[in-house]
Amino acid sequence: MKKNIILAGVGGQGILSIATVIGEAALAENLYLKQAEVHGMSQRGGDVQSNLRLSSDPIASDLIPKGGADLIISLEPMEALRYVDYLSPEGWVVTSADPFVNIPNYPEMEAIQARLKAVGHLVSLNVEALAKEAGAPAQAANMVLLGAAIPMLDIDHDKMIDGVRRVFARKGEAVVESNVAAVEAGYAHSLKQM
């Protein structure tokens, strides 16, 4: 098993929490893991990106080459578009449909969506609305996105849920359960969209 994942978004959206949960689940599956993070200016809404590599065999490098990503998970559609050149021809993009407009010349959403649809393998979803429908706060939108990516990760669903429970355990049972509900909402939506 080998998965090269690019996680992208805007500072403060919870990209690194997604990476942490995936890492927990990967370790539970006895996979090797390498991660490289690029932090933007999160206090100003700068872009945040992380390379996450999982494999059943040892991994030499923590960086994903162009054309080598199996999956882009993005909490911001323009940020997903920024990394499309890294996607392999068979790769998937799982992205929030909701823009985080942090620049005055933000492109038209129709143009962004058209370019993302051209990728061929796309799951686009309104993560904040799905979080609210699941009874979770809007801050759990990142967990909705994680749930939507589970079918492409080749990691057991239950191990992903266990990873969510471990990562959020220190915040109390209510936070754990709302994050689990958010993951399940994204997972169900992704299965329907695929």
Side-chain angles (χ1 to χ4, degrees), residues 71-74 77 80 91-97 113 116-117 119-127 130 144-152 185-194:
L71 178 61
I72 295 172
I73 302 173
S74 181
W92 281 84
V93 175
V94 178
T95 185
S96 170
Q113 286 296 339
L116 288 173
K117 283 179 185 171
V119 168
H121 299 109
L122 172 68
V123 174
S124 179
L125 59 162
N126 185 318
V127 292
L130 284 168
V144 170
L145 193 67
L146 171 63
I150 289 174
M152 295 85 174
Y187 181 68
H189 183 84
S190 185
L191 290 178
K192 285 181 200 170
Q193 219 178 19
M194 291 174 66

PDB file of all heavy atoms in Angstrom, residues 71-74 77 80 91-97 113 116-117 119-127 130 144-152 185-194:
ATOM      1  N   LEU A  71      -3.970  11.817  -3.798  1.00  0.00           N
ATOM      2  CA  LEU A  71      -5.124  12.478  -3.204  1.00  0.00           C
ATOM      3  C   LEU A  71      -4.753  13.893  -2.771  1.00  0.00           C
ATOM      4  O   LEU A  71      -3.696  14.105  -2.188  1.00  0.00           O
ATOM      5  CB  LEU A  71      -5.590  11.664  -1.987  1.00  0.00           C
ATOM      6  CG  LEU A  71      -6.762  12.150  -1.156  1.00  0.00           C
ATOM      7  CD1 LEU A  71      -8.032  12.248  -1.978  1.00  0.00           C
ATOM      8  CD2 LEU A  71      -6.974  11.217   0.033  1.00  0.00           C
ATOM      9  N   ILE A  72      -5.634  14.837  -3.094  1.00  0.00           N
ATOM     10  CA  ILE A  72      -5.542  16.190  -2.555  1.00  0.00           C
ATOM     11  C   ILE A  72      -6.772  16.381  -1.687  1.00  0.00           C
ATOM     12  O   ILE A  72      -7.898  16.203  -2.147  1.00  0.00           O
ATOM     13  CB  ILE A  72      -5.511  17.258  -3.661  1.00  0.00           C
ATOM     14  CG1 ILE A  72      -4.241  17.136  -4.496  1.00  0.00           C
ATOM     15  CG2 ILE A  72      -5.627  18.670  -3.053  1.00  0.00           C
ATOM     16  CD1 ILE A  72      -4.213  18.025  -5.733  1.00  0.00           C
ATOM     17  N   ILE A  73      -6.545  16.706  -0.425  1.00  0.00           N
ATOM     18  CA  ILE A  73      -7.628  17.003   0.509  1.00  0.00           C
ATOM     19  C   ILE A  73      -7.507  18.484   0.825  1.00  0.00           C
ATOM     20  O   ILE A  73      -6.502  18.924   1.375  1.00  0.00           O
ATOM     21  CB  ILE A  73      -7.502  16.177   1.808  1.00  0.00           C
ATOM     22  CG1 ILE A  73      -7.493  14.681   1.504  1.00  0.00           C
ATOM     23  CG2 ILE A  73      -8.630  16.533   2.779  1.00  0.00           C
ATOM     24  CD1 ILE A  73      -7.195  13.797   2.716  1.00  0.00           C
ATOM     25  N   SER A  74      -8.533  19.265   0.456  1.00  0.00           N
ATOM     26  CA  SER A  74      -8.419  20.714   0.606  1.00  0.00           C
ATOM     27  C   SER A  74      -9.666  21.316   1.237  1.00  0.00           C
ATOM     28  O   SER A  74     -10.783  21.057   0.793  1.00  0.00           O
ATOM     29  CB  SER A  74      -8.175  21.364  -0.757  1.00  0.00           C
ATOM     30  OG  SER A  74      -8.044  22.758  -0.604  1.00  0.00           O
ATOM     31  N   PRO A  77     -11.323  25.609  -2.056  1.00  0.00           N
ATOM     32  CA  PRO A  77     -11.246  25.191  -3.462  1.00  0.00           C
ATOM     33  C   PRO A  77     -10.091  25.791  -4.262  1.00  0.00           C
ATOM     34  O   PRO A  77      -9.481  25.094  -5.083  1.00  0.00           O
ATOM     35  CB  PRO A  77     -12.603  25.597  -4.041  1.00  0.00           C
ATOM     36  CG  PRO A  77     -13.306  26.383  -3.014  1.00  0.00           C
ATOM     37  CD  PRO A  77     -12.600  26.213  -1.718  1.00  0.00           C
ATOM     38  N   ALA A  80      -7.044  23.855  -3.454  1.00  0.00           N
ATOM     39  CA  ALA A  80      -7.033  22.559  -4.155  1.00  0.00           C
ATOM     40  C   ALA A  80      -6.487  22.758  -5.563  1.00  0.00           C
ATOM     41  O   ALA A  80      -5.636  21.987  -6.026  1.00  0.00           O
ATOM     42  CB  ALA A  80      -8.436  21.965  -4.198  1.00  0.00           C
ATOM     43  N   GLY A  91      -5.485  10.215  -9.638  1.00  0.00           N
ATOM     44  CA  GLY A  91      -5.691  10.805  -8.321  1.00  0.00           C
ATOM     45  C   GLY A  91      -7.056  11.446  -8.138  1.00  0.00           C
ATOM     46  O   GLY A  91      -7.769  11.753  -9.095  1.00  0.00           O
ATOM     47  N   TRP A  92      -7.404  11.663  -6.886  1.00  0.00           N
ATOM     48  CA  TRP A  92      -8.672  12.262  -6.474  1.00  0.00           C
ATOM     49  C   TRP A  92      -8.438  13.608  -5.807  1.00  0.00           C
ATOM     50  O   TRP A  92      -7.425  13.802  -5.119  1.00  0.00           O
ATOM     51  CB  TRP A  92      -9.379  11.366  -5.465  1.00  0.00           C
ATOM     52  CG  TRP A  92     -10.089  10.208  -6.079  1.00  0.00           C
ATOM     53  CD1 TRP A  92      -9.538   8.999  -6.432  1.00  0.00           C
ATOM     54  CD2 TRP A  92     -11.465  10.146  -6.421  1.00  0.00           C
ATOM     55  NE1 TRP A  92     -10.506   8.199  -6.968  1.00  0.00           N
ATOM     56  CE2 TRP A  92     -11.702   8.863  -6.966  1.00  0.00           C
ATOM     57  CE3 TRP A  92     -12.530  11.041  -6.310  1.00  0.00           C
ATOM     58  CZ2 TRP A  92     -12.952   8.466  -7.400  1.00  0.00           C
ATOM     59  CZ3 TRP A  92     -13.776  10.632  -6.734  1.00  0.00           C
ATOM     60  CH2 TRP A  92     -13.982   9.357  -7.281  1.00  0.00           C
ATOM     61  N   VAL A  93      -9.402  14.499  -5.979  1.00  0.00           N
ATOM     62  CA  VAL A  93      -9.452  15.752  -5.226  1.00  0.00           C
ATOM     63  C   VAL A  93     -10.704  15.689  -4.366  1.00  0.00           C
ATOM     64  O   VAL A  93     -11.798  15.448  -4.868  1.00  0.00           O
ATOM     65  CB  VAL A  93      -9.521  16.986  -6.155  1.00  0.00           C
ATOM     66  CG1 VAL A  93      -9.699  18.267  -5.334  1.00  0.00           C
ATOM     67  CG2 VAL A  93      -8.276  17.081  -7.019  1.00  0.00           C
ATOM     68  N   VAL A  94     -10.526  15.880  -3.064  1.00  0.00           N
ATOM     69  CA  VAL A  94     -11.646  15.985  -2.126  1.00  0.00           C
ATOM     70  C   VAL A  94     -11.541  17.384  -1.540  1.00  0.00           C
ATOM     71  O   VAL A  94     -10.560  17.701  -0.857  1.00  0.00           O
ATOM     72  CB  VAL A  94     -11.575  14.907  -1.024  1.00  0.00           C
ATOM     73  CG1 VAL A  94     -12.723  15.067  -0.042  1.00  0.00           C
ATOM     74  CG2 VAL A  94     -11.578  13.509  -1.640  1.00  0.00           C
ATOM     75  N   THR A  95     -12.537  18.229  -1.843  1.00  0.00           N
ATOM     76  CA  THR A  95     -12.422  19.625  -1.453  1.00  0.00           C
ATOM     77  C   THR A  95     -13.728  20.203  -0.925  1.00  0.00           C
ATOM     78  O   THR A  95     -14.815  19.764  -1.308  1.00  0.00           O
ATOM     79  CB  THR A  95     -11.925  20.490  -2.634  1.00  0.00           C
ATOM     80  OG1 THR A  95     -11.713  21.835  -2.177  1.00  0.00           O
ATOM     81  CG2 THR A  95     -12.907  20.506  -3.787  1.00  0.00           C
ATOM     82  N   SER A  96     -13.578  21.187  -0.093  1.00  0.00           N
ATOM     83  CA  SER A  96     -14.719  21.995   0.318  1.00  0.00           C
ATOM     84  C   SER A  96     -15.172  22.807  -0.892  1.00  0.00           C
ATOM     85  O   SER A  96     -14.348  23.273  -1.675  1.00  0.00           O
ATOM     86  CB  SER A  96     -14.308  22.944   1.447  1.00  0.00           C
ATOM     87  OG  SER A  96     -15.331  23.880   1.692  1.00  0.00           O
ATOM     88  N   ALA A  97     -16.462  22.958  -1.029  1.00  0.00           N
ATOM     89  CA  ALA A  97     -17.010  23.793  -2.105  1.00  0.00           C
ATOM     90  C   ALA A  97     -17.078  25.256  -1.676  1.00  0.00           C
ATOM     91  O   ALA A  97     -17.345  26.129  -2.502  1.00  0.00           O
ATOM     92  CB  ALA A  97     -18.407  23.301  -2.479  1.00  0.00           C
ATOM     93  N   GLN A 113     -14.408  25.730  -9.996  1.00  0.00           N
ATOM     94  CA  GLN A 113     -15.109  24.444 -10.034  1.00  0.00           C
ATOM     95  C   GLN A 113     -14.939  23.751 -11.387  1.00  0.00           C
ATOM     96  O   GLN A 113     -14.763  22.529 -11.447  1.00  0.00           O
ATOM     97  CB  GLN A 113     -16.597  24.628  -9.699  1.00  0.00           C
ATOM     98  CG  GLN A 113     -16.866  24.896  -8.230  1.00  0.00           C
ATOM     99  CD  GLN A 113     -16.476  23.728  -7.326  1.00  0.00           C
ATOM    100  OE1 GLN A 113     -16.350  22.592  -7.744  1.00  0.00           O
ATOM    101  NE2 GLN A 113     -16.283  24.023  -6.054  1.00  0.00           N
ATOM    102  N   LEU A 116     -11.525  22.206 -11.491  1.00  0.00           N
ATOM    103  CA  LEU A 116     -11.447  21.036 -10.610  1.00  0.00           C
ATOM    104  C   LEU A 116     -12.214  19.850 -11.204  1.00  0.00           C
ATOM    105  O   LEU A 116     -11.750  18.719 -11.134  1.00  0.00           O
ATOM    106  CB  LEU A 116     -11.966  21.375  -9.209  1.00  0.00           C
ATOM    107  CG  LEU A 116     -11.061  22.276  -8.370  1.00  0.00           C
ATOM    108  CD1 LEU A 116     -11.749  22.675  -7.076  1.00  0.00           C
ATOM    109  CD2 LEU A 116      -9.718  21.603  -8.084  1.00  0.00           C
ATOM    110  N   LYS A 117     -13.375  20.111 -11.800  1.00  0.00           N
ATOM    111  CA  LYS A 117     -14.156  19.026 -12.418  1.00  0.00           C
ATOM    112  C   LYS A 117     -13.379  18.387 -13.566  1.00  0.00           C
ATOM    113  O   LYS A 117     -13.523  17.198 -13.835  1.00  0.00           O
ATOM    114  CB  LYS A 117     -15.500  19.550 -12.909  1.00  0.00           C
ATOM    115  CG  LYS A 117     -16.491  19.761 -11.801  1.00  0.00           C
ATOM    116  CD  LYS A 117     -17.801  20.302 -12.325  1.00  0.00           C
ATOM    117  CE  LYS A 117     -18.714  20.623 -11.138  1.00  0.00           C
ATOM    118  NZ  LYS A 117     -19.906  21.346 -11.555  1.00  0.00           N
ATOM    119  N   VAL A 119     -10.449  17.559 -13.600  1.00  0.00           N
ATOM    120  CA  VAL A 119      -9.541  16.554 -13.048  1.00  0.00           C
ATOM    121  C   VAL A 119     -10.124  15.158 -13.260  1.00  0.00           C
ATOM    122  O   VAL A 119      -9.400  14.199 -13.487  1.00  0.00           O
ATOM    123  CB  VAL A 119      -9.290  16.824 -11.537  1.00  0.00           C
ATOM    124  CG1 VAL A 119      -8.609  15.656 -10.866  1.00  0.00           C
ATOM    125  CG2 VAL A 119      -8.489  18.093 -11.355  1.00  0.00           C
ATOM    126  N   GLY A 120     -11.442  15.049 -13.167  1.00  0.00           N
ATOM    127  CA  GLY A 120     -12.100  13.768 -13.391  1.00  0.00           C
ATOM    128  C   GLY A 120     -12.534  13.053 -12.131  1.00  0.00           C
ATOM    129  O   GLY A 120     -13.618  12.527 -12.062  1.00  0.00           O
ATOM    130  N   HIS A 121     -11.711  13.032 -11.133  1.00  0.00           N
ATOM    131  CA  HIS A 121     -12.032  12.375  -9.868  1.00  0.00           C
ATOM    132  C   HIS A 121     -12.160  13.449  -8.791  1.00  0.00           C
ATOM    133  O   HIS A 121     -11.162  13.846  -8.193  1.00  0.00           O
ATOM    134  CB  HIS A 121     -10.950  11.373  -9.478  1.00  0.00           C
ATOM    135  CG  HIS A 121     -10.772  10.268 -10.462  1.00  0.00           C
ATOM    136  ND1 HIS A 121      -9.674  10.169 -11.269  1.00  0.00           N
ATOM    137  CD2 HIS A 121     -11.569   9.221 -10.780  1.00  0.00           C
ATOM    138  CE1 HIS A 121      -9.796   9.101 -12.030  1.00  0.00           C
ATOM    139  NE2 HIS A 121     -10.936   8.508 -11.759  1.00  0.00           N
ATOM    140  N   LEU A 122     -13.396  13.885  -8.561  1.00  0.00           N
ATOM    141  CA  LEU A 122     -13.627  15.019  -7.663  1.00  0.00           C
ATOM    142  C   LEU A 122     -14.790  14.735  -6.725  1.00  0.00           C
ATOM    143  O   LEU A 122     -15.846  14.288  -7.158  1.00  0.00           O
ATOM    144  CB  LEU A 122     -13.937  16.280  -8.484  1.00  0.00           C
ATOM    145  CG  LEU A 122     -14.381  17.526  -7.713  1.00  0.00           C
ATOM    146  CD1 LEU A 122     -13.236  18.092  -6.874  1.00  0.00           C
ATOM    147  CD2 LEU A 122     -14.916  18.577  -8.681  1.00  0.00           C
ATOM    148  N   VAL A 123     -14.570  14.999  -5.452  1.00  0.00           N
ATOM    149  CA  VAL A 123     -15.649  15.059  -4.466  1.00  0.00           C
ATOM    150  C   VAL A 123     -15.598  16.470  -3.893  1.00  0.00           C
ATOM    151  O   VAL A 123     -14.610  16.873  -3.296  1.00  0.00           O
ATOM    152  CB  VAL A 123     -15.494  14.009  -3.344  1.00  0.00           C
ATOM    153  CG1 VAL A 123     -16.556  14.201  -2.266  1.00  0.00           C
ATOM    154  CG2 VAL A 123     -15.558  12.597  -3.909  1.00  0.00           C
ATOM    155  N   SER A 124     -16.657  17.227  -4.135  1.00  0.00           N
ATOM    156  CA  SER A 124     -16.758  18.609  -3.659  1.00  0.00           C
ATOM    157  C   SER A 124     -17.987  18.694  -2.768  1.00  0.00           C
ATOM    158  O   SER A 124     -19.067  18.262  -3.163  1.00  0.00           O
ATOM    159  CB  SER A 124     -16.883  19.550  -4.858  1.00  0.00           C
ATOM    160  OG  SER A 124     -16.998  20.890  -4.436  1.00  0.00           O
ATOM    161  N   LEU A 125     -17.824  19.250  -1.588  1.00  0.00           N
ATOM    162  CA  LEU A 125     -18.938  19.276  -0.654  1.00  0.00           C
ATOM    163  C   LEU A 125     -18.928  20.517   0.217  1.00  0.00           C
ATOM    164  O   LEU A 125     -17.889  21.128   0.432  1.00  0.00           O
ATOM    165  CB  LEU A 125     -18.951  18.015   0.210  1.00  0.00           C
ATOM    166  CG  LEU A 125     -17.745  17.681   1.071  1.00  0.00           C
ATOM    167  CD1 LEU A 125     -18.153  16.678   2.132  1.00  0.00           C
ATOM    168  CD2 LEU A 125     -16.616  17.093   0.269  1.00  0.00           C
ATOM    169  N   ASN A 126     -20.107  20.889   0.687  1.00  0.00           N
ATOM    170  CA  ASN A 126     -20.267  22.028   1.573  1.00  0.00           C
ATOM    171  C   ASN A 126     -20.021  21.536   3.000  1.00  0.00           C
ATOM    172  O   ASN A 126     -20.941  21.074   3.674  1.00  0.00           O
ATOM    173  CB  ASN A 126     -21.676  22.618   1.415  1.00  0.00           C
ATOM    174  CG  ASN A 126     -21.853  23.873   2.226  1.00  0.00           C
ATOM    175  OD1 ASN A 126     -21.419  23.939   3.368  1.00  0.00           O
ATOM    176  ND2 ASN A 126     -22.488  24.862   1.651  1.00  0.00           N
ATOM    177  N   VAL A 127     -18.782  21.617   3.444  1.00  0.00           N
ATOM    178  CA  VAL A 127     -18.379  20.999   4.710  1.00  0.00           C
ATOM    179  C   VAL A 127     -19.031  21.641   5.937  1.00  0.00           C
ATOM    180  O   VAL A 127     -19.388  20.942   6.878  1.00  0.00           O
ATOM    181  CB  VAL A 127     -16.843  20.951   4.859  1.00  0.00           C
ATOM    182  CG1 VAL A 127     -16.241  19.986   3.849  1.00  0.00           C
ATOM    183  CG2 VAL A 127     -16.208  22.319   4.721  1.00  0.00           C
ATOM    184  N   LEU A 130     -22.686  20.475   6.157  1.00  0.00           N
ATOM    185  CA  LEU A 130     -22.752  19.075   6.577  1.00  0.00           C
ATOM    186  C   LEU A 130     -22.392  18.918   8.050  1.00  0.00           C
ATOM    187  O   LEU A 130     -22.973  18.078   8.747  1.00  0.00           O
ATOM    188  CB  LEU A 130     -21.852  18.208   5.704  1.00  0.00           C
ATOM    189  CG  LEU A 130     -22.393  17.902   4.313  1.00  0.00           C
ATOM    190  CD1 LEU A 130     -21.317  17.290   3.431  1.00  0.00           C
ATOM    191  CD2 LEU A 130     -23.597  16.981   4.388  1.00  0.00           C
ATOM    192  N   VAL A 144     -15.481  16.734   8.559  1.00  0.00           N
ATOM    193  CA  VAL A 144     -16.373  16.355   7.460  1.00  0.00           C
ATOM    194  C   VAL A 144     -15.524  16.047   6.231  1.00  0.00           C
ATOM    195  O   VAL A 144     -15.725  15.031   5.551  1.00  0.00           O
ATOM    196  CB  VAL A 144     -17.409  17.471   7.159  1.00  0.00           C
ATOM    197  CG1 VAL A 144     -18.171  17.173   5.876  1.00  0.00           C
ATOM    198  CG2 VAL A 144     -18.365  17.662   8.328  1.00  0.00           C
ATOM    199  N   LEU A 145     -14.565  16.903   5.953  1.00  0.00           N
ATOM    200  CA  LEU A 145     -13.685  16.706   4.801  1.00  0.00           C
ATOM    201  C   LEU A 145     -12.877  15.418   4.948  1.00  0.00           C
ATOM    202  O   LEU A 145     -12.736  14.654   3.991  1.00  0.00           O
ATOM    203  CB  LEU A 145     -12.763  17.914   4.629  1.00  0.00           C
ATOM    204  CG  LEU A 145     -12.024  17.969   3.306  1.00  0.00           C
ATOM    205  CD1 LEU A 145     -12.986  18.205   2.149  1.00  0.00           C
ATOM    206  CD2 LEU A 145     -10.979  19.065   3.336  1.00  0.00           C
ATOM    207  N   LEU A 146     -12.368  15.169   6.138  1.00  0.00           N
ATOM    208  CA  LEU A 146     -11.646  13.919   6.387  1.00  0.00           C
ATOM    209  C   LEU A 146     -12.543  12.721   6.101  1.00  0.00           C
ATOM    210  O   LEU A 146     -12.128  11.776   5.423  1.00  0.00           O
ATOM    211  CB  LEU A 146     -11.151  13.869   7.836  1.00  0.00           C
ATOM    212  CG  LEU A 146     -10.564  12.524   8.276  1.00  0.00           C
ATOM    213  CD1 LEU A 146      -9.326  12.173   7.488  1.00  0.00           C
ATOM    214  CD2 LEU A 146     -10.272  12.545   9.768  1.00  0.00           C
ATOM    215  N   GLY A 147     -13.774  12.764   6.590  1.00  0.00           N
ATOM    216  CA  GLY A 147     -14.706  11.670   6.345  1.00  0.00           C
ATOM    217  C   GLY A 147     -14.931  11.437   4.865  1.00  0.00           C
ATOM    218  O   GLY A 147     -14.989  10.291   4.394  1.00  0.00           O
ATOM    219  N   ALA A 148     -15.028  12.514   4.103  1.00  0.00           N
ATOM    220  CA  ALA A 148     -15.237  12.399   2.654  1.00  0.00           C
ATOM    221  C   ALA A 148     -14.040  11.763   1.962  1.00  0.00           C
ATOM    222  O   ALA A 148     -14.183  11.157   0.894  1.00  0.00           O
ATOM    223  CB  ALA A 148     -15.528  13.775   2.056  1.00  0.00           C
ATOM    224  N   ALA A 149     -12.858  11.874   2.552  1.00  0.00           N
ATOM    225  CA  ALA A 149     -11.643  11.314   1.947  1.00  0.00           C
ATOM    226  C   ALA A 149     -11.398   9.859   2.322  1.00  0.00           C
ATOM    227  O   ALA A 149     -10.577   9.186   1.675  1.00  0.00           O
ATOM    228  CB  ALA A 149     -10.432  12.157   2.355  1.00  0.00           C
ATOM    229  N   ILE A 150     -12.099   9.338   3.309  1.00  0.00           N
ATOM    230  CA  ILE A 150     -11.841   7.967   3.775  1.00  0.00           C
ATOM    231  C   ILE A 150     -11.902   6.942   2.643  1.00  0.00           C
ATOM    232  O   ILE A 150     -11.024   6.076   2.562  1.00  0.00           O
ATOM    233  CB  ILE A 150     -12.777   7.582   4.945  1.00  0.00           C
ATOM    234  CG1 ILE A 150     -12.374   8.353   6.212  1.00  0.00           C
ATOM    235  CG2 ILE A 150     -12.741   6.074   5.218  1.00  0.00           C
ATOM    236  CD1 ILE A 150     -13.312   8.158   7.391  1.00  0.00           C
ATOM    237  N   PRO A 151     -12.886   6.991   1.729  1.00  0.00           N
ATOM    238  CA  PRO A 151     -12.916   5.964   0.678  1.00  0.00           C
ATOM    239  C   PRO A 151     -11.668   5.939  -0.213  1.00  0.00           C
ATOM    240  O   PRO A 151     -11.373   4.913  -0.817  1.00  0.00           O
ATOM    241  CB  PRO A 151     -14.155   6.333  -0.143  1.00  0.00           C
ATOM    242  CG  PRO A 151     -15.031   7.077   0.800  1.00  0.00           C
ATOM    243  CD  PRO A 151     -14.085   7.836   1.681  1.00  0.00           C
ATOM    244  N   MET A 152     -10.939   7.031  -0.287  1.00  0.00           N
ATOM    245  CA  MET A 152      -9.752   7.081  -1.136  1.00  0.00           C
ATOM    246  C   MET A 152      -8.457   6.768  -0.377  1.00  0.00           C
ATOM    247  O   MET A 152      -7.393   6.686  -0.982  1.00  0.00           O
ATOM    248  CB  MET A 152      -9.592   8.484  -1.750  1.00  0.00           C
ATOM    249  CG  MET A 152     -10.684   8.871  -2.690  1.00  0.00           C
ATOM    250  SD  MET A 152     -12.018   9.540  -1.685  1.00  0.00           S
ATOM    251  CE  MET A 152     -13.133  10.090  -2.938  1.00  0.00           C
ATOM    252  N   ALA A 185     -20.677  12.091   8.587  1.00  0.00           N
ATOM    253  CA  ALA A 185     -21.457  12.864   7.609  1.00  0.00           C
ATOM    254  C   ALA A 185     -20.684  13.022   6.303  1.00  0.00           C
ATOM    255  O   ALA A 185     -21.232  12.855   5.213  1.00  0.00           O
ATOM    256  CB  ALA A 185     -21.831  14.230   8.185  1.00  0.00           C
ATOM    257  N   GLY A 186     -19.406  13.339   6.397  1.00  0.00           N
ATOM    258  CA  GLY A 186     -18.574  13.464   5.199  1.00  0.00           C
ATOM    259  C   GLY A 186     -18.400  12.141   4.481  1.00  0.00           C
ATOM    260  O   GLY A 186     -18.445  12.081   3.251  1.00  0.00           O
ATOM    261  N   TYR A 187     -18.236  11.078   5.237  1.00  0.00           N
ATOM    262  CA  TYR A 187     -18.076   9.742   4.666  1.00  0.00           C
ATOM    263  C   TYR A 187     -19.320   9.349   3.873  1.00  0.00           C
ATOM    264  O   TYR A 187     -19.217   8.910   2.721  1.00  0.00           O
ATOM    265  CB  TYR A 187     -17.806   8.750   5.799  1.00  0.00           C
ATOM    266  CG  TYR A 187     -17.603   7.325   5.365  1.00  0.00           C
ATOM    267  CD1 TYR A 187     -16.487   6.951   4.631  1.00  0.00           C
ATOM    268  CD2 TYR A 187     -18.511   6.348   5.706  1.00  0.00           C
ATOM    269  CE1 TYR A 187     -16.281   5.642   4.242  1.00  0.00           C
ATOM    270  CE2 TYR A 187     -18.323   5.018   5.327  1.00  0.00           C
ATOM    271  CZ  TYR A 187     -17.208   4.673   4.597  1.00  0.00           C
ATOM    272  OH  TYR A 187     -17.013   3.376   4.212  1.00  0.00           O
ATOM    273  N   ALA A 188     -20.494   9.534   4.473  1.00  0.00           N
ATOM    274  CA  ALA A 188     -21.760   9.200   3.795  1.00  0.00           C
ATOM    275  C   ALA A 188     -21.938  10.029   2.526  1.00  0.00           C
ATOM    276  O   ALA A 188     -22.345   9.511   1.479  1.00  0.00           O
ATOM    277  CB  ALA A 188     -22.943   9.397   4.746  1.00  0.00           C
ATOM    278  N   HIS A 189     -21.620  11.319   2.600  1.00  0.00           N
ATOM    279  CA  HIS A 189     -21.760  12.187   1.434  1.00  0.00           C
ATOM    280  C   HIS A 189     -20.828  11.745   0.296  1.00  0.00           C
ATOM    281  O   HIS A 189     -21.213  11.714  -0.865  1.00  0.00           O
ATOM    282  CB  HIS A 189     -21.470  13.635   1.822  1.00  0.00           C
ATOM    283  CG  HIS A 189     -21.653  14.601   0.690  1.00  0.00           C
ATOM    284  ND1 HIS A 189     -22.871  15.123   0.371  1.00  0.00           N
ATOM    285  CD2 HIS A 189     -20.775  15.089  -0.212  1.00  0.00           C
ATOM    286  CE1 HIS A 189     -22.747  15.914  -0.678  1.00  0.00           C
ATOM    287  NE2 HIS A 189     -21.472  15.912  -1.046  1.00  0.00           N
ATOM    288  N   SER A 190     -19.605  11.399   0.645  1.00  0.00           N
ATOM    289  CA  SER A 190     -18.625  10.981  -0.361  1.00  0.00           C
ATOM    290  C   SER A 190     -19.072   9.697  -1.054  1.00  0.00           C
ATOM    291  O   SER A 190     -18.977   9.582  -2.278  1.00  0.00           O
ATOM    292  CB  SER A 190     -17.262  10.777   0.293  1.00  0.00           C
ATOM    293  OG  SER A 190     -16.278  10.478  -0.661  1.00  0.00           O
ATOM    294  N   LEU A 191     -19.581   8.743  -0.292  1.00  0.00           N
ATOM    295  CA  LEU A 191     -20.040   7.492  -0.891  1.00  0.00           C
ATOM    296  C   LEU A 191     -21.170   7.749  -1.887  1.00  0.00           C
ATOM    297  O   LEU A 191     -21.222   7.122  -2.940  1.00  0.00           O
ATOM    298  CB  LEU A 191     -20.488   6.521   0.193  1.00  0.00           C
ATOM    299  CG  LEU A 191     -19.369   5.943   1.075  1.00  0.00           C
ATOM    300  CD1 LEU A 191     -19.962   5.035   2.144  1.00  0.00           C
ATOM    301  CD2 LEU A 191     -18.312   5.213   0.256  1.00  0.00           C
ATOM    302  N   LYS A 192     -22.043   8.696  -1.582  1.00  0.00           N
ATOM    303  CA  LYS A 192     -23.141   9.040  -2.498  1.00  0.00           C
ATOM    304  C   LYS A 192     -22.604   9.717  -3.753  1.00  0.00           C
ATOM    305  O   LYS A 192     -23.067   9.470  -4.857  1.00  0.00           O
ATOM    306  CB  LYS A 192     -24.146   9.988  -1.820  1.00  0.00           C
ATOM    307  CG  LYS A 192     -25.036   9.336  -0.813  1.00  0.00           C
ATOM    308  CD  LYS A 192     -25.977  10.372  -0.235  1.00  0.00           C
ATOM    309  CE  LYS A 192     -26.522   9.902   1.091  1.00  0.00           C
ATOM    310  NZ  LYS A 192     -27.231  10.963   1.785  1.00  0.00           N
ATOM    311  N   GLN A 193     -21.626  10.621  -3.585  1.00  0.00           N
ATOM    312  CA  GLN A 193     -21.098  11.386  -4.714  1.00  0.00           C
ATOM    313  C   GLN A 193     -20.229  10.542  -5.638  1.00  0.00           C
ATOM    314  O   GLN A 193     -20.123  10.822  -6.825  1.00  0.00           O
ATOM    315  CB  GLN A 193     -20.319  12.598  -4.207  1.00  0.00           C
ATOM    316  CG  GLN A 193     -20.543  13.815  -5.048  1.00  0.00           C
ATOM    317  CD  GLN A 193     -19.819  15.041  -4.525  1.00  0.00           C
ATOM    318  OE1 GLN A 193     -18.878  14.987  -3.743  1.00  0.00           O
ATOM    319  NE2 GLN A 193     -20.263  16.192  -4.988  1.00  0.00           N
ATOM    320  N   MET A 194     -19.630   9.503  -5.097  1.00  0.00           N
ATOM    321  CA  MET A 194     -18.758   8.639  -5.913  1.00  0.00           C
ATOM    322  C   MET A 194     -19.616   7.732  -6.763  1.00  0.00           C
ATOM    323  O   MET A 194     -19.253   7.194  -7.733  1.00  0.00           O
ATOM    324  CB  MET A 194     -17.829   7.822  -5.036  1.00  0.00           C
ATOM    325  CG  MET A 194     -16.779   8.665  -4.331  1.00  0.00           C
ATOM    326  SD  MET A 194     -15.804   7.700  -3.175  1.00  0.00           S
ATOM    327  CE  MET A 194     -14.940   6.590  -4.236  1.00  0.00           C
TER     328      MET A 194
END
